[in-house]
Amino acid sequence: MEPVKIWLQRNLKGDPILWAIVLLFSFISIAVVYSATGTLAYRNEMHGRSGSAVEMIALKHTALIVAGLGLMWLAHRVDYRYYSRLALYALLISVPLLLFTYLLGGETNGASRWMTIPVINQTFQPSDLAKLALISHLASMLSRRQQHLDDFWSTLFPVMLWVGIICGLIALTNASTASLLFATCLLLMFIGRVPLRQMLVMVVIGVTVGGTALASGQRWKTVQSRLTNFSDPTKKTPFQLEHSYIAIATGGIAGKGPGKSTERNILPHPYSDFIYAIIIEEYGLIGGAVVLLLYMAFLYRGLKTVMNSYGAFGGLLSAGLSFSLVMQALVNMGVAVGLGPITGLPLPLLSMGGTSLIFTGISIGIILAVSRGEPEVRPMTGEDPDAARIPSQRTAYA
């Protein structure tokens, strides 16, 4: 037992509770996706697609989870300061990828959000890369300019420019992802002590750019109909939301039991957009509450990493990524129980998916890298880039 403990301490660095939460989410995801993909397997078989059996779909999902955990492990081994440099390059790559996807990408449900990687024939969603890159670069820019936050042109203009470009490009095909990313950026700016008047300017720019991109993009009519259906009580409840309510209502307190969902055969995307409804149907309100508490525990550990970090960049980076994942989870769960309009956002760490699982793993790996508690010093000079600006992240966020 002692050698195992030593191996874990040597190879799984960072917050051990965060590691445990992620591993628990992974086991839950495998079990729920395996239960929810029966209809998908049948549909694939009817269309003559290979690998259509439920077991094969679950095996592929498990392989993607393992790949995500592997990338999380690799990301947490890297000194998180290097992500400050990589973020800009990732942003520069994201812009042409988002444009290419909008113009020539594969269409799903009336929106071009995917591109297919040649040779391996695997789909890729550039917005996931763009989200990670923008949050990381925003944390880097704010941390390096803590003493010049009132200087609009040298500090805030580059921030607003990148946020406007990335969120605008994503809004062309995915309004919910763009809106959530913009909200995360505003929250990160607030944590980074950006003056409120500058944030109001950011809101005006965001609404203008986002509204223009949405109106000229592919999802304007869909967004209109979903907002109308949610806000107008005289409208008939949308089909998927109606069956989500049925799943939750019939689940009761303890649920029907693993694999005994009936709404998985009726709900569109029960393994992705509405996986939370399937969790409640099979595991009851108890299971739904456990999942919600796990996300809250994840956010708490991410914010504890912020409190314990030794520099502005590490704290902002951990805060941005933690809030991004948990806010998306809350939106997804809120949609399933009728607290918001239908969005199509997956449930992080639980929904079936490829790109989402991979980049979620990388994001959590970066949070774990920050949680290792290394001071922000330049490798060659030993100089602390934040020493003259913010003595310690412990003080800045206390």
Side-chain angles (χ1 to χ4, degrees):
M1 197 67 185
E2 190 65 26
V4 174
K5 183 179 179 181
I6 294 173
W7 185 90
L8 289 173
Q9 291 175 343
R10 184 179 302 163
N11 291 276
L12 303 183
K13 298 183 181 297
D15 189 341
I17 298 179
L18 201 53
W19 274 105
I21 292 172
V22 173
L23 291 174
L24 185 55
F25 267 128
S26 300
F27 291 128
I28 295 173
S29 178
I30 293 171
V32 178
V33 168
Y34 177 72
S35 172
T37 49
T39 304
L40 175 64
Y42 176 76
R43 196 161 55 239
N44 287 345
E45 187 176 350
M46 292 295 293
H47 288 84
R49 296 169 185 164
S50 59
S52 60
V54 174
E55 290 77 12
M56 290 301 297
I57 295 173
L59 186 61
K60 180 181 179 181
H61 176 67
T62 303
L64 286 169
I65 285 181
V66 171
L69 291 173
L71 289 171
M72 181 178 75
W73 182 83
L74 289 174
H76 106 287
R77 300 286 296 184
V78 177
D79 188 328
Y80 72 87
R81 292 166 293 176
Y82 291 109
Y83 293 114
S84 175
R85 305 174 188 176
L86 295 174
L88 179 58
Y89 298 115
L91 274 180
L92 294 174
I93 294 172
S94 298
V95 172
L97 287 179
L98 289 169
L99 285 171
F100 176 85
T101 305
Y102 171 63
L103 297 172
L104 302 171
E107 186 173 311
T108 303
N109 297 327
S112 303
R113 300 175 183 174
W114 305 87
M115 58 184 295
T116 302
I117 302 174
V119 182
I120 64 174
N121 198 32
Q122 180 65 47
T123 56
F124 169 68
Q125 193 168 1
S127 60
D128 288 321
L129 171 63
K131 284 193 301 183
L132 176 59
L134 180 60
I135 292 172
S136 301
H137 189 56
L138 185 58
S140 176
M141 287 191 290
L142 291 175
S143 66
R144 286 185 280 108
R145 295 172 171 88
Q146 281 291 306
Q147 296 301 314
H148 308 283
L149 292 176
D150 287 318
D151 190 336
F152 179 83
W153 290 107
S154 68
T155 301
L156 295 175
F157 179 74
V159 170
M160 295 178 180
L161 182 65
W162 275 116
V163 173
I165 290 173
I166 297 299
C167 291
L169 288 174
I170 295 176
L172 291 171
T173 59
N174 195 336
S176 52
T177 297
S179 300
L180 191 62
L181 179 59
F182 183 69
T184 303
C185 292
L186 285 177
L187 183 58
L188 195 56
M189 292 172 68
F190 177 77
I191 296 172
R193 304 190 298 182
V194 173
L196 289 178
R197 65 179 182 277
Q198 307 287 17
M199 292 183 63
L200 289 175
V201 174
M202 182 70 178
V203 171
V204 173
I205 293 174
V207 171
T208 304
V209 173
T212 303
L214 184 59
S216 59
Q218 302 169 340
R219 304 296 284 172
W220 175 238
K221 291 183 179 179
T222 303
V223 171
Q224 278 185 311
S225 65
R226 288 178 173 177
L227 289 174
T228 302
N229 288 334
F230 176 72
S231 60
D232 189 350
T234 62
K235 290 279 187 179
K236 187 180 185 302
T237 304
F239 175 81
Q240 58 265 57
L241 197 55
E242 181 180 357
H243 285 277
S244 178
Y245 292 162
I246 294 172
I248 293 170
T250 57
I253 301 297
K256 297 177 179 178
K260 296 182 180 179
S261 167
T262 55
E263 294 305 312
R264 64 184 176 182
N265 301 318
I266 305 173
L267 267 171
H269 308 293
Y271 44 81
S272 177
D273 299 355
F274 286 91
I275 196 169
Y276 190 62
I278 303 302
I279 291 173
I280 296 178
E281 184 183 10
E282 293 190 347
Y283 299 93
L285 292 177
I286 295 174
V290 168
V291 170
L292 177 60
L293 289 174
L294 282 174
Y295 280 114
M296 292 298 99
F298 180 94
L299 180 61
Y300 171 75
R301 301 308 299 186
L303 294 182
K304 189 168 184 180
T305 297
V306 175
M307 299 292 292
N308 293 335
S309 62
Y310 288 91
F313 175 60
L316 290 169
L317 184 61
S318 179
L321 295 176
S322 298
F323 274 115
S324 175
L325 291 171
V326 176
M327 285 170 62
Q328 181 174 328
L330 292 176
V331 169
N332 178 283
M333 292 185 288
V335 168
V337 300
L339 295 179
I342 297 171
T343 61
L345 290 170
L347 188 58
L349 293 165
L350 291 180
S351 291
M352 188 178 79
T355 312
S356 175
L357 289 171
I358 295 299
F359 282 98
T360 297
I362 295 173
S363 299
I364 297 172
I366 295 173
I367 296 172
L368 286 166
V370 177
S371 73
R372 288 162 58 179
E374 296 172 349
E376 293 187 13
V377 294
R378 292 193 175 97
M380 299 300 294
T381 64
E383 178 188 350
D384 185 346
D386 290 316
R389 305 182 180 103
I390 300 178
S392 154
Q393 200 70 12
R394 300 173 191 269
T395 303
Y397 293 98

